[in-house]
C-alpha cells in the first residue's frame, strides 16, 4: 500500500503508478534510488544523518562482518569522499550497526533486514552473503546523488532477499584478454548489483587463458595468436595472454570476498582449436592448426580416445583445485561433427559404444565428463547442446542459449536450467542503433528489452519452474578488444539484469526503474565506469527529401527510453537546462545545426549531446552504418577497422553473407556523381556449414568492383567503380564516379563484387554530388 500525506496530490498519484508493484509505504519522502529494488520497503517519518563521525559498529565478532564493513568503508571513501571508521557502540549513541544474527528477521538465503531510524542504521542477516547485500543497499542509500560527504538517509524499513540463486554474467576472456585488475573491476560492479556468479570463459579456438602446470604448451602456444595483418594498421604482431594459477587464486579470492562465485568454462568437445594447436595428439586429424584469429564456428574437435580423456581429467583436476565453485562449465556448444564423421578411429569408437550418430557421441562425451566431475563432488553445467544424447548426468545443469526451448526441454526432463538466451541476454549485441555505437552485433538489444525479459517460461508448471535456477547475460568479446568496449556493452544493461534477477516479479516496473537509474549513473561516474548512453541519447529526425526540396525541416527529437527532459540549441552551443526544452516538433530553415541532450530530474545530463548538421551536403552524405542491408539477409555486424583495434570509432556495417547495402530513395534531380569512402576489412570469420550462404558475384576487374544499381539490386547499372589492389593500397580509399542524369526519387543499391576468398569491403560513407 502507498500512503500519501496528501492523498489527492498529483505527485503522490505519479509515485503510486511508478511504484505500485513494490510493497512501499510512503510517508512524505521520495523513495530511495535502489537498484535492484528490495522485496519489501516501507518509508517512515524522520531521517538519520551520516557523516565522518558516524561509527560503524560490528555487533558480532565474525571475520566476514569485519570484511563487509571494510568493503563499505572503502567504497564510500572512493565514491563519496565519506570516510567512516569502525568504532565501539554503547547502544545509545547514533551509529551504523552491522550484525550477523541467526535470529535476523529475514530467513531466506542471502536475505537481510535494514532499518533506518533517527537513532541510527542497523543491517542484520542470517548469513554472510545477506549481510554483504545489505551493506550494498546501505551504500546506495548513502549515495543518492553526486554530492560528497555528509548524507541524510530517510527513515525506512527494508526486508529483502533474492528471487533467484543464479544471478550471472559471463565474461569471455578467450577471444579478447582482460587484465586481472580489469576482471576484478567488473566483479566489483557485479557485487554492487547483487549478482553472484561470474561465468569465466577461459578457453576457445582463439586462446587458452588458464595455466595448467601439467601441460605447459597450453599457454606457451595456445595463449597466443597471430592476427590477420599482424604488425600493420595498429594490429599487434602477436595477440594473447593467460592467467597464472596465482592470479586465478587472487581473482577467486577477490570475488569470494564480494560473495561472487566464479564458474570456469573450458570448452569441449568443440571450440578446441587452441588446445589442439598446443597438443595435436588431442585432436582428430593429428595435424597441428594455428591458434585461430577468426571469429565464428571452427571444425576442430577433441578426439574420443582414452589419452584425450586422460588429458581432460588432468586439466579438470587443476581447475577444480583453483575454483571452489560447485559448478564447472564444459561448453558443449557449436561442435560441428565433420572431423568425427571423417575419422575411421572415431567411427570405430562409435561402433564399439553402440552409438549411432555423432550427436549421440557428443552426449556420451559430455556424460563421461559429467561423471568425472560428479566423482569429485562437482556438477556439470553446459550450453543446451548437452541435451543431445542419452548420457547426461541427472544433476547436470543446462544453460539455455538458443532461445528458451533448451530450458523448457531440460526442465521437462528434470534438469536445472539457467536462462541465457540469444539474442535477448547477449550483451555483444549493440544497445542502440545510433551512428556512434561501438562495435558489436545487430539487432539492437535495448535496456528496456533486457528489463522486460521473463526468466520463467510460461509453459512450465510450478514444479517445473523450480528448475529455473536463474538467469545470466553473456559478454562475448569477439568485437570487444578492450575493457572499455566491455563496459560500454555491459552497462547500464547490467542494472536491468540485476533487477530482473533479484527483485520479485511483481516489482517489475519500467517507469519506476528509469526514475531510479540517474542515481546509479552518478555512481558509475564516481567510479569511472564507461557506461553506454544510447538509451537516453537524442535522435534528431527529419524528412530528408522534404528538406532537400524546401530547404526547411520539421525536427522531431526523441530517445530510445522515452525518458528525461530534452533540451536543444540551434546556435552550435552545447545544450543545457537553460536551453529551449523540446515538447513538440519544430521547424527550421536550412542550413542549421541542431544539438540536443536529455536531462534527468536532478539536472544531470543522461547522455552526451548529439548533433545533426542540416544542409544539402550533409543530407546527401550518409554513413555506411545508416544504410540498410539489401533484402534477403538480416545478419549484420558493426566492425572495427582491424580485429584487435583498441579504438571505439570508426566502425563499419558489414553483412558477412552479402556485401550489399541500400542508399535510401532520394530526389536525384541535379545529381552528377557519387563519392564513396570505402574500407577494406579482414575476412576473419569461420562460418562452418553456413559458408555456402555467402553470395559470390562475377567481377570484371582483377579485384572486383563497387557496382551502383538504380532502385533495385537487379536494376540498371549507374556506375561500376574498380577496387584497388589490396596488396598495394591503404585500407581506406575513395571511389568516385559520374552518374547519368536521373529525375525524380530513386534509391541506390551498392554491391561489392570482390572475390569472397579475399578481404571484406564496407562502406564508410556514401555521398551524392550535385552539378555545379
Amino acid at each position: 500500500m502507498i500512503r500519501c500525506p496528501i492523498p489527492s496530490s498529483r505527485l503522490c498519484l505519479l509515485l503510486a503508478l511508478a511504484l505500485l508493484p513494490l510493497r512501499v509505504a510512503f510517508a512524505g519522502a521520495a523513495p530511495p534510488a535502489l537498484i535492484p529494488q528490495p522485496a519489501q520497503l516501507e518509508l517512515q517519518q524522520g531521517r538519520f544523518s551520516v557523516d565522518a563521525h558516524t561509527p560503524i559498529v560490528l555487533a558480532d565478532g565474525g571475520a566476514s562482518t569485519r570484511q563487509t564493513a571494510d568493503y563499505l568503508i572503502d567504497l564510500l571513501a572512493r565514491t563519496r569522499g565519506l570516510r567512516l571508521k569502525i568504532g565501539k557502540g554503547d547502544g545509545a549513541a547514533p551509529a551504523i550497526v552491522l550484525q550477523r544474527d541467526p535470529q535476523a528477521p529475514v530467513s531466506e538465503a542471502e536475505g537481510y533486514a535494514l532499518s533506518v531510524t533517527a537513532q541510527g542504521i542497523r543491517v542484520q542477516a542470517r548469513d554472510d552473503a545477506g549481510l554483504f547485500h545489505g551493506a550494498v543497499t546501505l551504500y546506495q542509500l548513502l549515495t543518492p546523488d553526486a554530492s560528497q560527504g555528509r548524507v541524510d538517509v530517510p527513515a525506512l524499513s527494508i526486508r529483502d532477499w533474492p528471487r533467484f540463486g543464479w544471478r550471472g554474467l559471463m565474461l569471455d576472456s578467450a577471444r579478447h584478454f582482460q587484465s586481472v585488475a580489469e576482471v576484478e573491476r567488473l566483479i566489483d560492479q557485479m557485487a554492487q548489483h547483487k549478482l553472484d556468479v561470474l561465468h569465466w570463459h577461459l578457453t576457445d579456438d582463439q586462446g587458452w587463458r588458464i595455466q595448467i602446470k601439467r601441460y605447459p604448451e597450453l599457454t606457451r602456444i595456445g595463449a597466443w595468436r597471430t592476427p590477420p595483418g599482424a604488425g600493420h594498421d595498429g594490429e599487434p604482431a602477436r595477440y594473447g595472454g593467460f592467467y597464472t594459477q596465482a592470479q586465478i587464486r587472487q581473482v577467486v579470492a577477490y570475488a569470494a570476498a564480494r560473495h561472487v562465485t566464479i564458474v570456469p568454462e573450458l570448452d569441449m568437445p568443440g571450440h578446441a582449436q587452441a588446445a589442439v594447436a598446443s597438443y595435436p595428439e588431442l585432436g582428430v586429424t593429428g595435424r597441428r592448426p594455428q591458434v585461430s584469429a577468426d571469429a565464428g564456428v571452427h571444425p576442430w574437435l577433441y578426439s574420443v580416445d582414452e589419452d584425450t580423456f586422460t588429458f581432460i581429467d588432468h586439466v579438470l583436476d587443476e581447475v577444480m583445485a583453483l575454483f571452489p565453485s560447485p559448478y564447472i562449465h564444459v561448453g558443449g556448444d557449436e561442435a560441428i561433427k565433420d572431423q568425427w564423421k571423417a575419422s575411421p578411429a572415431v567411427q570405430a569408437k562409435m561402433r564399439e559404444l553402440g552409438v549411432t550418430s555423432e550427436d549421440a557421441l557428443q552426449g556420451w562425451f559430455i556424460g563421461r565428463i559429467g561423471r568425472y566431475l560428479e566423482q569429485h563432488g562437482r556438477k556439470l553445467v553446459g550450453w543446451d547442446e548437452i541435451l543431445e544424447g542419452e548420457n547426461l548426468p541427472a544433476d547436470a545443469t543446462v544453460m539455455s542459449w538458443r532461445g528458451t526451448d533448451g530450458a523448457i526441454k531440460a526442465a521437462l526432463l528434470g534438469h536445472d536450467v539457467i536462462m541465457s538466451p540469444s539474442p535477448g541476454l547477449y550483451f555483444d549485441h549493440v544497445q542502440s542503433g545510433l551512428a556512434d555505437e561501438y562495435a558489436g552485433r545487430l539487432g539492437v538489444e535495448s535496456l528496456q528489452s533486457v528489463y522486460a525479459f521473463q526468466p520463467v517460461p510460461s509453459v512450465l508448471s510450478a514444479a517445473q519452474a523450480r528448475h529455473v535456477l536463474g538467469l545470466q547475460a553473456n559478454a562475448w568479446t569477439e568485437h570487444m578488444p578492450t575493457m572499455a568496449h566491455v563496459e560500454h556493452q555491459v552497462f547500464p544493461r547490467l542494472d536491468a539484469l540485476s533487477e530482473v534477477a533479484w527483485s520479485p516479479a511483481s516489482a517489475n516496473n519500467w517507469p519506476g526503474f528509469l526514475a531510479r537509474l540517474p542515481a546509479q549513473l552518478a555512481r558509475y561516474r564516481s567510479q569511472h565506469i564507461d557506461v553506454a548512453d544510447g538509451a537516453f541519447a537524442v535522435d534528431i529526425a527529419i524528412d530528408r527529401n522534404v528538406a532537400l526540396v524546401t530547404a526547411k525541416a520539421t525536427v522531431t527529437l526523441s530517445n530510445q527510453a522515452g525518458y528525461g527532459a530534452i533540451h536543444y540549441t540551434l546556435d552550435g552551443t552545447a545544450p543545457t537546462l537553460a536551453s529551449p526544452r523540446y515538447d513538440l516538433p519544430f521547424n527550421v530553415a536550412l542550413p542549421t545545426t541542431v544539438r540536443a541532450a536529455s536531462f534527468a530530474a536532478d539536472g544531470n545530463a543522461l547522455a552526451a549531446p548529439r548533433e545533426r548538421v542540416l544542409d544539402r551536403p550533409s543530407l546527401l552524405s550518409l554513413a555506411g552504418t545508416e544504410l540498410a542491408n539489401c533484402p534477403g539477409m538480416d545478419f549484420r555486424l558493426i566492425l572495427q577497422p582491424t580485429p584487435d583495434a583498441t579504438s571505439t570509432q570508426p566502425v563499419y556495417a558489414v553483412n558477412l553473407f552479402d556485401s550489399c547495402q541500400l542508399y535510401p530513395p532520394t530526389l536525384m534531380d541535379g545529381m552528377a556523381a557519387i563519392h564513396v569512402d570505402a574500407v577494406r576489412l579482414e575476412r576473419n570469420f569461420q562460418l562452418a556449414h553456413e559458408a555456402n550462404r555467402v553470395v559470390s558475384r562475377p567481377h570484371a576487374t582483377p579485384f572486383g568492383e563497387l557496382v551502383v544499381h538504380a532502385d533495385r539490386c537487379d536494376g540498371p547499372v549507374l556506375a561500376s567503380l574498380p577496387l584497388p589492389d589490396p596488396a598495394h593500397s591503404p585500407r581506406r580509399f575513395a571511389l568516385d564516379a559520374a552518374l547519368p542524369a536521373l529525375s525524380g526519387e530513386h534509391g541506390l543499391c551498392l554491391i561489392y563484387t570482390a572475390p569472397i576468398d579475399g578481404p571484406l569491403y564496407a562502406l564508410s560513407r556514401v555521398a551524392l554530388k550535385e552539378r555545379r
Side-chain angles (χ1 to χ4, degrees):
M1 174 181 179
I2 298 175
R3 297 196 298 267
C4 289
I6 309 175
S8 62
S9 75
R10 184 171 181 267
L11 173 62
C12 287
L13 177 60
L14 292 173
L15 286 170
L17 292 173
L19 297 170
L20 187 59
L22 181 63
R23 291 182 57 185
V24 174
F26 182 74
L34 302 177
I35 295 177
Q37 57 183 320
Q40 298 177 8
L41 185 155
E42 181 178 356
L43 287 170
Q44 299 164 342
Q45 296 288 349
R47 65 182 184 180
F48 179 71
S49 295
V50 176
D51 60 24
H53 302 292
T54 306
I56 295 181
V57 175
L58 310 182
D60 64 88
S64 180
T65 303
R66 176 60 185 256
Q67 192 175 54
T68 292
D70 288 342
Y71 177 80
L72 178 62
I73 289 169
D74 175 70
L75 188 57
L76 283 169
R78 287 189 287 115
T79 60
R80 196 174 176 92
L82 182 58
R83 291 170 172 81
L84 304 182
K85 296 179 181 178
I86 294 175
K88 295 182 179 179
D90 58 9
I96 296 170
V97 178
L98 303 181
Q99 183 179 27
R100 170 83 184 273
D101 182 358
Q103 302 303 316
V106 177
S107 61
E108 289 84 356
E110 301 187 75
Y112 65 92
L114 190 157
S115 63
V116 181
T117 67
Q119 289 70 48
I121 298 173
R122 179 175 292 270
V123 183
Q124 297 172 282
R126 299 191 182 191
D127 58 36
D128 293 338
L131 191 66
F132 182 86
H133 297 321
V136 166
T137 296
L138 176 56
Y139 163 69
Q140 293 190 9
L141 290 171
L142 295 173
T143 53
D145 51 40
S147 300
Q148 292 286 291
R150 171 178 169 160
V151 59
D152 291 336
V153 184
L156 53 76
S157 174
I158 289 174
R159 301 291 184 268
D160 197 17
W161 58 91
R163 180 184 180 191
F164 293 107
W166 188 297
R167 307 179 300 279
L169 176 69
M170 188 280 295
L171 175 64
D172 174 16
S173 295
R175 275 56 178 270
H176 280 102
F177 180 72
Q178 304 87 29
S179 70
V180 166
E182 289 170 335
V183 176
E184 290 178 345
R185 175 180 167 93
L186 184 63
I187 290 170
D188 196 42
Q189 288 302 316
M190 292 176 61
Q192 291 178 42
H193 288 78
K194 299 186 176 71
L195 301 182
D196 65 344
V197 177
L198 174 67
H199 170 181
W200 201 2
H201 187 242
L202 292 168
T203 75
D204 213 294
D205 302 298
Q206 298 84 4
W208 185 284
R209 305 290 179 219
I210 175 173
Q211 179 189 28
I212 302 297
K213 293 183 177 180
R214 188 161 187 159
Y215 299 102
E217 298 296 271
L218 289 171
T219 46
R220 190 184 74 84
I221 294 175
W224 307 93
R225 64 180 186 246
T226 301
H232 301 282
D233 300 305
E235 274 294 282
R238 188 172 79 143
Y239 182 90
F242 64 92
Y243 305 102
T244 66
Q245 293 198 358
Q247 288 174 321
I248 287 175
R249 290 190 184 95
Q250 173 186 329
V251 174
V252 168
Y254 186 93
R258 289 153 180 77
H259 299 277
V260 174
T261 297
I262 299 183
V263 175
E265 179 180 350
L266 284 79
D267 271 302
M268 58 188 80
H271 288 291
Q273 188 165 331
V276 177
S278 305
Y279 293 97
E281 62 272 22
L282 299 173
V284 179
T285 68
R287 302 193 308 273
R288 184 194 296 273
Q290 297 294 313
V291 177
S292 180
D294 296 344
V297 180
H298 296 61
W300 294 89
L301 304 179
Y302 283 111
S303 182
V304 292
D305 59 26
E306 289 305 309
D307 288 344
T308 298
F309 282 107
T310 297
F311 163 84
I312 293 174
D313 291 349
H314 287 159
V315 168
L316 289 174
D317 289 343
E318 295 194 34
V319 169
M320 288 186 286
L322 293 169
F323 296 94
S325 163
Y327 294 93
I328 303 294
H329 203 300
V330 300
D333 64 311
E334 296 181 326
I336 60 172
K337 310 302 193 300
D338 296 2
Q339 290 185 349
W340 281 0
K341 290 177 180 178
S343 167
V346 172
Q347 295 301 309
K349 185 69 172 181
M350 290 173 61
R351 291 190 293 271
E352 175 190 330
L353 296 170
V355 171
T356 58
S357 73
E358 287 75 21
D359 286 343
L361 181 64
Q362 174 169 326
W364 171 82
F365 186 111
I366 295 295
R368 177 164 175 165
I369 301 301
R371 288 189 294 276
Y372 188 80
L373 292 173
E374 190 175 30
Q375 291 165 9
H376 290 77
R378 306 300 181 96
K379 295 180 180 180
L380 179 148
V381 58
W383 303 107
D384 53 51
E385 286 97 328
I386 67 173
L387 289 167
E388 296 166 1
E390 300 176 354
N391 293 280
L392 192 62
D395 67 348
T397 298
V398 175
M399 191 168 279
S400 185
W401 76 276
R402 296 177 296 180
T404 59
D405 289 349
I408 295 168
K409 178 180 178 181
L412 293 174
L413 292 172
H415 291 286
D416 287 341
V417 299
I418 298 151
M419 303 299 295
S420 191
S422 171
L425 295 184
Y426 269 46
F427 283 2
D428 55 329
H429 279 252
V430 298
Q431 301 202 49
S432 77
L434 295 170
D436 58 2
E437 190 56 86
Y438 287 16
R441 291 193 64 169
L442 288 169
V444 171
E445 296 301 327
S446 68
L447 178 67
Q448 184 171 11
S449 68
V450 174
Y451 192 79
F453 177 70
Q454 298 295 323
V456 180
S458 59
V459 299
L460 297 180
S461 68
Q464 292 160 351
R466 284 193 285 272
H467 284 293
V468 179
L469 301 182
L471 63 156
Q472 173 180 296
N474 299 321
W476 299 107
T477 62
E478 286 95 335
H479 312 299
M480 302 184 207
T482 70
M483 202 61 190
H485 291 83
V486 173
E487 289 183 351
H488 181 90
Q489 295 291 67
V490 167
F491 301 104
R493 289 186 291 197
L494 196 76
D495 296 273
L497 179 80
S498 72
E499 190 144 304
V500 174
W502 177 279
S503 303
S506 60
N508 190 274
N509 181 264
W510 173 243
F513 172 76
L514 288 176
R516 288 177 279 114
L517 193 56
Q520 179 58 37
L521 296 179
R523 295 179 194 116
Y524 286 137
R525 287 193 294 272
S526 71
Q527 297 177 72
H528 309 290
I529 300 297
D530 185 348
V531 181
D533 65 1
F536 307 106
V538 177
D539 178 60
I540 303 168
I542 65 163
D543 187 310
R544 278 176 69 246
N545 281 330
V546 169
L548 287 168
V549 170
T550 65
K552 297 179 181 179
T554 299
V555 179
T556 301
L557 305 180
S558 63
N559 65 28
Q560 184 193 79
Y563 180 78
I566 296 175
H567 292 262
Y568 67 94
T569 64
L570 302 177
D571 59 4
T573 61
T576 68
L577 286 173
S579 305
R581 174 174 170 144
Y582 175 80
D583 293 306
L584 294 170
F586 56 90
N587 297 320
V588 296
L590 274 58
T592 193
T593 297
V594 181
R595 300 190 76 191
S598 56
F599 295 84
D602 63 4
N604 284 309
L606 290 166
R610 296 313 199 266
E611 175 183 290
R612 186 166 183 183
V613 177
L614 300 179
D615 59 20
R616 290 189 65 82
S618 298
L619 294 176
L620 294 172
S621 175
L622 298 177
T625 53
E626 298 177 89
L627 306 185
N629 280 9
C630 294
M633 179 61 66
D634 293 333
F635 183 87
R636 191 170 165 98
L637 294 174
I638 304 297
L639 297 181
Q640 296 175 256
T642 59
D644 305 308
T646 58
S647 59
T648 60
Q649 295 292 324
V651 292
Y652 308 103
V654 168
N655 178 351
L656 297 181
F657 299 94
D658 192 359
S659 295
C660 177
Q661 287 184 263
L662 300 175
Y663 187 94
T666 301
L667 291 170
M668 299 296 290
D669 301 77
M671 300 303 162
I674 185 169
H675 172 84
V676 176
D677 291 322
V679 62
R680 187 174 60 252
L681 305 172
E682 299 294 340
R683 194 184 291 270
N684 64 314
F685 298 91
Q686 296 278 339
L687 301 178
H689 294 162
E690 291 193 304
N692 59 5
R693 298 173 61 196
V694 178
V695 177
S696 176
R697 293 183 172 87
H699 51 94
T701 58
F703 310 108
E705 304 83 34
L706 176 62
V707 182
V708 182
H709 296 263
D711 298 317
R712 307 178 314 277
C713 293
D714 60 354
V717 173
L718 302 179
S720 182
L721 297 80
L723 301 177
D725 180 355
H728 301 96
S729 61
R731 288 183 179 272
R732 297 186 65 173
F733 54 92
L735 298 172
D736 291 277
L739 292 176
L742 295 172
S743 62
E745 191 173 282
H746 296 274
L748 303 177
C749 175
L750 296 95
I751 302 174
Y752 282 115
T753 65
I756 62 174
D757 59 355
L760 281 168
Y761 289 88
L763 302 170
S764 176
R765 182 163 290 276
V766 178
L768 297 178
K769 301 295 183 181
E770 298 182 274
R771 293 188 183 90
R772 294 183 179 180

